[in-house]
């Protein structure tokens, strides 16, 4: 039956009723509109309050003592090249500083990913702000003026019905009166404008990405890095799993086929060694906790009984350690085992230990032991009741000391035989370092093997600290199977997550359900502000927490399961998984579930009105995203700036668990780092929401613009003053995010095609067929543009063009010349010797080190390429570095007040600055050694642990160091840079003594 829909301002009411399985009469339109508006404004008020509180707290705390650690750690807790000026105390000066940070500063202090993320926020603002000005100005008056509203219309049977458009819906697509369908031409024009402007800006940003990435990768500072000239080759056949075979294959990419210009690392499976090292670390942690527990008890008793003679003061500079030369105790393993057993018995029976003058012997924790088949004592517990044999109890610290020493013996034995093919089988991957950056790109871009899938995929720009060593032996078949499993698990996550997301979607329509669902009628008696609070802020906050906490962790696990060989690749795959999840669950599923509860009762009552109902009600899902974006733009951006979770963690949660100096040093020196796959995917999804609803509900453009503006300010502060990069994809995530924006554009175009086809005029005829056809053409043109652009630009995303090699090489030579001159001037000032006669030799040595020329390669021939020798030369570098930083400790104020805490932080800062953080900080020989060992599995360079205990007034630490000396190099103690204050809190003024001295170089290799 054809229904004639005409606008009518009469006062007739609808005679339709809903008696369905949902039950109940239809909702009162004015009541629902009021609840929707109240929910919206309540959500806005709550979010504004949270935002105001967060910003006010930030301004009050950022210059306080705790604020230095929370809001500006990069002013003192990072290496010199990353340090920034202090955050201005004046809010106006702070705002001015945020807006005046230059792009080159962001690249230097934040890395390319930090710079490009700020650039992504800026790019989205450049898209949406102009569209907001034009589209909102054009469409809001058209949508609102003489629209449906709450007016009545007449049907062909003479009855009157009322339009169900109220609240914020009056500003959107569904408010257009059927008698004025010509207005949809304005929506078409705006849609074409949105698509064309967005595509233009995205293309411009991709061009900028390529230019900025190439400039960075070819900068002389980056070309010096090992990662710039090294490729990772996977799925290597067995006949090529040797240094000689790979050198013979890839020497074609170096001058004169000179294999000495290549450095090859064939990866091995060090699982056995890794398990022993992990166990030793665990025991080290347990021993440090036990030693500190005893020390605290003694010093607590000393404080109560001041007449007990104490030891050395804990405030001074002097410290001791039990570390000895690696050459001491050159005994056979059997002799060492017997010695350890005797030492263990001495520790158990020793009565002259200083702590026993303060505490009873029972104060030391006891451990149950049983003698094993190898005649060594093993720990047992209630859960190992089946273990039989001679048993005893012993002090926990004594047994831990002996076990750590015994593990060190086992590990040292393995470290001398790391090239043993029986113990450590070769894996099907290898790192190959060339003498030039362009040679690495050529080797990676060309096919390496005649058989499909062999020696592929290959990866460029692999930093040593970003390698996922667990995935170094994944085959092509294994990677395919892993990918299939990961996709199945991801599909399962999507299905399972649909349940809580759909429930939240229903909760967002709680007010409507109270009128349409019979068993929810009891909600009608609730105050409207409670319903508004539940359907507005509460639902938005719950969804944000649900989506942003658990899903990224699961996506990252799937990325590792797929077989990602590097953390960079892991972040890219995580971004893809997470964005797909957000787009399906948060945008598509949530939008449908938010509208289904409205549509179903009307469809059941009048099935012939399905087209009109779809065109009228589906766009109302934008109301949900209004609330969601309000929470994100105000509450979440405020929390990003305020960092209340981190404040709670540092000031309240962590002190309860912090026990040892090592844990305290980790807390004080660890700077937040961004997991890029999470943040890019989240904000790409925000932008996709803006695209989808930009024409249907143009008010969304205002919310998206405000959201990205506030986050632009918050993240510029965080990335510049607070966070540092552990992983840098050099902008690949930015490019990936731009490509993912097409998902929002495609959905917008498809939705508009359907909506144009569903538009009916007052005679129930299709009124916008022409607009739909034009949108189909726009969709096709968009797909063509997308395909052509990606095909045209893809080669430039990863590989460097040959045309810029000469310019980059000249810049590198100029940098080397500058470094040579600086080193010469420094040597002249220090020694007073004229070195002009040595200029040629110095320049040759320096250039050969950085470029891989003959002189240093001749030195490299004398270096064993085995992992054992690589570890030895790195340990030698560590000793030299430790010697340079040992004198930073000075006298501390006696009382644990603000001045002492400030001095502790300053000394820690000075100690960190003493570690080398640039390759140019090293001598040519040290630099060659560092590059030589860059891609060796780090477990092979694991040094013997140092048990780090604090200096204390009772003198317990000094006595423990004397007691530990009998273990020799197998168990080493130190109390350097750690203090037990009068309040029994641990303070540290340096990183742990066994910290790798090249740890800061991980970021520049």
């Amino acid at each position: 039956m054809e229904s004639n829909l005409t606008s009518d301002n009469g006062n007739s009411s609808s005679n339709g009723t809903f008696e369905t399985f949902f039950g109940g009469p239809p909702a009162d339109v004015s009541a629902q509109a009021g609840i929707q508006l109240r929910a919206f404004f309540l959500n806005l008020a709550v979010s504004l309050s949270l935002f105001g509180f967060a910003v006010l707290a930030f301004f009050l705390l950022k210059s306080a003592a705790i604020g230095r650690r929370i809001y500006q750690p990069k002013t003192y807790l990072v290496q010199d090249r990353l340090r920034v000026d202090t955050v201005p105390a004046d809010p106006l000066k702070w705002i001015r500083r945020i807006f005046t940070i230059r792009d080159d500063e962001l690249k230097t202090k934040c890395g390319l990913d930090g710079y490009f993320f700020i650039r992504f926020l800026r790019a989205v603002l450049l898209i949406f702000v102009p569209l907001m000005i034009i589209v909102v100005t054009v469409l809001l008056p058209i949508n609102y003026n003489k629209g449906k509203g709450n007016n009545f219309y007449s049907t062909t049977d003479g009855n009157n019905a009322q339009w169900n458009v109220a609240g914020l819906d009056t500003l959107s697509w569904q408010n257009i009166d059927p008698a004025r369908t010509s207005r949809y031409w304005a929506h078409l024009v705006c849609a074409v404008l949105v698509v064309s402007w967005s595509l233009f800006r995205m293309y411009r940003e991709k061009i900028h990405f390529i230019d900025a990435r190439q400039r960075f990768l070819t900068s002389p500072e980056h070309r010096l890095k090992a990662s710039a000239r090294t490729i990772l080759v996977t799925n290597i056949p067995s006949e090529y799993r040797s240094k000689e075979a790979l050198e013979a294959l890839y020497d074609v990419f170096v001058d004169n086929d000179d294999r000495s210009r290549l450095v090859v690392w064939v990866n091995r499976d060090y699982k056995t060694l890794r398990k022993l090292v992990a166990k030793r670390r665990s025991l080290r942690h347990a021993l440090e906790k036990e030693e500190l527990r005893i020390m605290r008890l003694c010093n607590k008793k000393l404080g109560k009984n001041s007449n007990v003679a104490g030891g050395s003061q804990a405030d001074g500079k002097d410290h001791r350690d039990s570390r000895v030369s690696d050459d001491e105790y050159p005994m056979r393993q059997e002799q060492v085992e017997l010695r350890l057993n005797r030492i263990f018995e001495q520790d158990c029976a020793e009565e002259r230990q200083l702590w026993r003058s303060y505490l009873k012997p029972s104060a030391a924790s006891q451990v149950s032991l049983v003698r094993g088949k190898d005649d060594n004592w093993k720990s047992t517990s209630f859960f190992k009741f089946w273990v039989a044999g001679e048993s005893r109890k012993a002090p926990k610290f004594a047994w831990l000391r002996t076990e750590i020493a015994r593990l060190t013996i086992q590990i040292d034995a393995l470290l001398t035989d790391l090239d043993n093919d029986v113990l450590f089988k070769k894996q099907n991957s290898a790192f190959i370092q060339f003498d030039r950056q362009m040679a690495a790109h050529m080797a990676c871009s060309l096919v390496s093997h005649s058989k499909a899938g062999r020696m592929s995929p290959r990866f460029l720009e692999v930093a040593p600290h970003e390698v996922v060593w667990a995935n170094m032996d994944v085959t092509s078949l294994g990677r395919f199977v892993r990918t299939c499993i990961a996709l199945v698990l991801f599909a399962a996550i999507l299905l399972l997550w649909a349940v809580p997301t759909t429930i939240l979607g229903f909760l967002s329509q709680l007010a409507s359900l109270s009128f349409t669902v019979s068993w929810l009628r009891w909600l009608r008696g609730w105050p409207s502000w409670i319903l508004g609070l539940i359907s507005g802020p509460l639902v938005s906050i719950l969804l944000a927490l649900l989506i942003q906490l658990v899903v990224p962790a699961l996506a990252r696990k799937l990325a590792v399961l797929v077989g990602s060989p590097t953390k960079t690749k892991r972040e890219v795959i995580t971004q893809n998984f997470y964005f797909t999840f957000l787009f399906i669950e948060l945008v598509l599923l949530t939008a449908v579930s938010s509208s289904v509860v409205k549509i179903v009762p009307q469809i059941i009552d009048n099935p012939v009105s399905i087209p009109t109902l779809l065109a009228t009600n589906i766009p109302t899902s934008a109301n949900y995203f209004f609330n969601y974006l309000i929470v994100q733009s105000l509450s979440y951006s405020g929390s990003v700036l305020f960092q209340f979770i981190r404040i709670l963690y540092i000031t309240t949660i962590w002190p309860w668990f912090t026990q040892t100096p090592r844990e305290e040093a980790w807390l004080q020196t660890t700077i937040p780092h961004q997991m890029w796959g999470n943040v890019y995917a989240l904000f790409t999804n925000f932008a996709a929401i803006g695209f989808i609803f930009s024409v249907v509900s143009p008010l969304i453009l205002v919310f998206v613009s405000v959201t990205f503006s506030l986050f632009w300010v918050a993240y510029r502060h965080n990335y510049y003053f607070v966070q540092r990069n552990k992983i840098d994809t050099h902008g690949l995530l930015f490019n990936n995010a731009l490509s993912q924006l097409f998902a929002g554009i495609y959905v917008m175009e498809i939705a508009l095609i359907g909506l144009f086809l569903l538009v009916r005029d007052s005679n129930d005829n299709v009124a916008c067929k022409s607009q739909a056809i034009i949108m189909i053409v726009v969709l096709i043109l968009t797909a063509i543009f997308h395909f052509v652009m990606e095909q045209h630009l893809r080669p430039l995303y990863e590989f460097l063009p040959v045309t810029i090699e000469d310019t980059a090489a000249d810049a590198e030579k100029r940098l080397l010349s500058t470094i040579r001159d600086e080193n010469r001037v420094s040597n002249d000032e220090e020694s007073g010797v004229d070195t002009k006669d040595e200029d040629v030799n110095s320049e040759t040595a320096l250039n050969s080190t950085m470029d891989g020329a003959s002189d240093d390669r001749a030195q490299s021939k004398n270096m064993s390429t085995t992992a054992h020798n690589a570890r030895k030369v790195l340990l030698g570098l560590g000793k030299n570095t430790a010697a340079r930083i040992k004198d930073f400790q000075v006298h501390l104020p006696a009382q644990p007040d603000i001045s002492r805490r400030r001095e502790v932080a300053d000394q820690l800062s000075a100690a960190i600055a003493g570690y080398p953080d640039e390759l140019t900080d090293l001598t040519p020989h040290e630099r060659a050694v560092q590059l030589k060992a860059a891609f060796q599995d780090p477990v092979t360079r694991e040094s013997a642990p140092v048990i780090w205990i604090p200096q204390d007034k009772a003198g317990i630490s000094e006595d423990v160091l004397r007691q530990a000396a009998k273990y020799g190099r197998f168990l080493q103690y130190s109390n350097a840079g750690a203090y037990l204050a009068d309040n029994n809190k641990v303070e540290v003024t340096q990183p742990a003594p066994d910290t790798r001295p090249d740890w800061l170089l991980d970021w520049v290799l």
Side-chain angles (χ1 to χ4, degrees), residues 527-777:
S528 58
W529 67 270
I530 294 182
L531 294 178
L533 182 65
I534 295 175
S535 61
L538 182 61
V539 171
S540 300
I541 293 174
L542 288 177
L543 182 63
L545 294 176
L546 191 68
I547 294 295
Q548 295 177 25
L549 292 181
V550 181
V551 180
L554 295 176
R556 191 161 282 103
K557 292 293 185 182
L558 292 179
V560 175
L561 175 62
V562 165
S564 303
T566 67
K567 294 177 182 178
T568 293
K569 187 67 175 177
R570 183 196 68 185
E571 288 304 302
V572 173
I573 296 177
T574 299
Q575 180 192 22
N576 293 333
F577 274 129
Y578 190 32
F579 173 76
T580 303
F581 179 92
L582 291 174
F583 195 71
I584 292 175
E585 296 288 350
L586 182 60
V587 179
L588 301 181
L589 180 62
T590 303
V592 171
S593 67
S594 185
S595 298
V596 164
V597 295
K598 287 183 168 184
I599 294 173
V600 170
Q602 300 179 52
I603 291 177
I604 295 176
D605 185 69
N606 187 9
V608 298
S609 65
I610 290 178
T612 303
L613 292 175
L614 289 175
T616 301
N617 288 282
I618 284 184
T620 61
S621 60
N623 294 336
Y624 170 81
F625 292 103
F626 289 158
N627 290 316
Y628 178 69
L629 289 175
I630 286 174
V631 170
Q632 295 298 323
S633 63
L634 296 176
S635 303
Y636 186 41
S637 66
S639 66
V640 166
L641 198 61
F642 179 46
Q643 302 181 62
F644 64 91
I645 294 181
R646 190 158 171 259
I647 290 178
L648 183 66
Y649 180 78
I650 289 180
T651 60
T652 305
I653 298 176
W654 184 253
W656 284 94
F657 299 97
T658 300
Q659 297 290 331
T660 67
R662 190 179 305 275
E663 292 172 330
E664 180 67 17
W666 180 89
L667 174 67
Q668 296 301 332
T669 60
T670 299
I671 295 179
H673 64 277
Q674 188 66 66
M675 305 303 289
W676 293 114
N678 303 9
V679 67
Y680 268 100
L682 183 64
F683 284 90
T684 306
N685 193 66
F686 291 162
I689 292 172
F691 282 125
I692 293 172
F693 295 98
S694 58
V695 177
V696 173
S697 186
L699 194 61
I700 201 79
L701 294 172
V702 178
F703 293 100
V704 173
S705 299
V706 172
T707 297
F708 279 87
S709 298
L710 294 176
F711 278 112
W712 183 83
V713 173
Y715 277 111
R716 277 177 77 88
H717 171 87
N718 276 7
Y719 290 157
Y720 189 74
F721 291 104
V722 181
Q723 296 180 339
R724 67 170 301 167
N725 286 349
K726 272 193 172 182
I727 302 168
D728 201 332
T729 68
H730 302 131
L732 292 178
L733 294 170
F734 171 81
N735 179 64
N736 209 25
L738 290 176
S739 299
Q740 289 171 347
L741 289 179
F742 277 93
I745 294 177
Y746 287 138
V747 171
M748 178 197 71
E749 292 171 340
I750 295 172
L752 287 176
I753 292 171
L755 288 170
F756 280 134
L757 291 176
L758 290 176
V759 171
R760 298 294 187 271
D761 59 18
S762 55
N763 295 319
D764 201 27
N765 296 321
V766 177
C768 295
K769 186 183 299 183
S770 300
Q771 291 93 324
I773 294 174
I774 294 174
M775 280 307 303
I776 293 174
V777 174

Side-chain angles (χ1 to χ4, degrees), residues 391-582:
S391 62
R392 63 176 292 187
K393 286 186 177 293
K396 185 177 182 180
F397 68 85
W399 178 77
L400 289 173
R401 290 174 182 176
T402 307
E403 283 301 299
I404 293 175
R406 185 170 285 113
L407 284 173
T408 299
I409 295 172
Q410 297 176 23
I411 292 171
D412 286 351
L414 292 177
L415 289 176
T416 60
D417 201 16
L418 291 175
D419 292 318
N420 190 318
D421 291 338
V422 177
L423 291 175
F424 310 109
K425 74 178 186 68
K426 292 180 179 178
Q427 297 178 316
N428 68 344
S429 62
F431 294 96
I432 304 173
Q433 188 176 103
F434 298 85
D435 61 336
R436 300 190 311 272
Q437 184 184 41
M438 189 54 62
H441 281 256
M442 293 169 62
C444 195
S445 61
L446 295 178
V447 178
S448 295
H449 201 277
S450 58
K451 293 184 179 180
R454 299 293 180 91
M455 306 190 76
S456 178
R458 296 174 297 280
F459 300 90
L460 280 167
E461 298 293 340
V462 180
H465 70 282
E466 293 184 2
V467 177
V468 181
W469 295 101
N471 286 341
M472 285 293 100
D473 199 30
V474 181
T475 63
S476 294
L477 178 60
R479 186 172 285 106
F480 174 76
V481 173
R482 284 165 166 249
T483 302
C484 292
I485 294 174
L487 291 176
V488 170
L489 292 176
F490 182 67
I493 293 173
L494 289 176
L495 293 175
L496 294 176
W497 221 272
V499 177
T501 309
T502 303
I503 292 174
L504 290 180
F506 276 83
L507 287 178
S508 70
Q509 299 293 334
L510 198 59
S512 300
L513 288 172
S514 65
F515 290 94
T516 58
V517 180
S518 58
W519 51 273
L520 290 178
R521 291 179 179 176
W522 56 276
L523 291 175
R524 297 180 190 177
W526 283 28
S528 58
W529 67 270
I530 294 182
L531 294 178
L533 182 65
I534 295 175
S535 61
L538 182 61
V539 171
S540 300
I541 293 174
L542 288 177
L543 182 63
L545 294 176
L546 191 68
I547 294 295
Q548 295 177 25
L549 292 181
V550 181
V551 180
L554 295 176
R556 191 161 282 103
K557 292 293 185 182
L558 292 179
V560 175
L561 175 62
V562 165
S564 303
T566 67
K567 294 177 182 178
T568 293
K569 187 67 175 177
R570 183 196 68 185
E571 288 304 302
V572 173
I573 296 177
T574 299
Q575 180 192 22
N576 293 333
F577 274 129
Y578 190 32
F579 173 76
T580 303
F581 179 92
L582 291 174

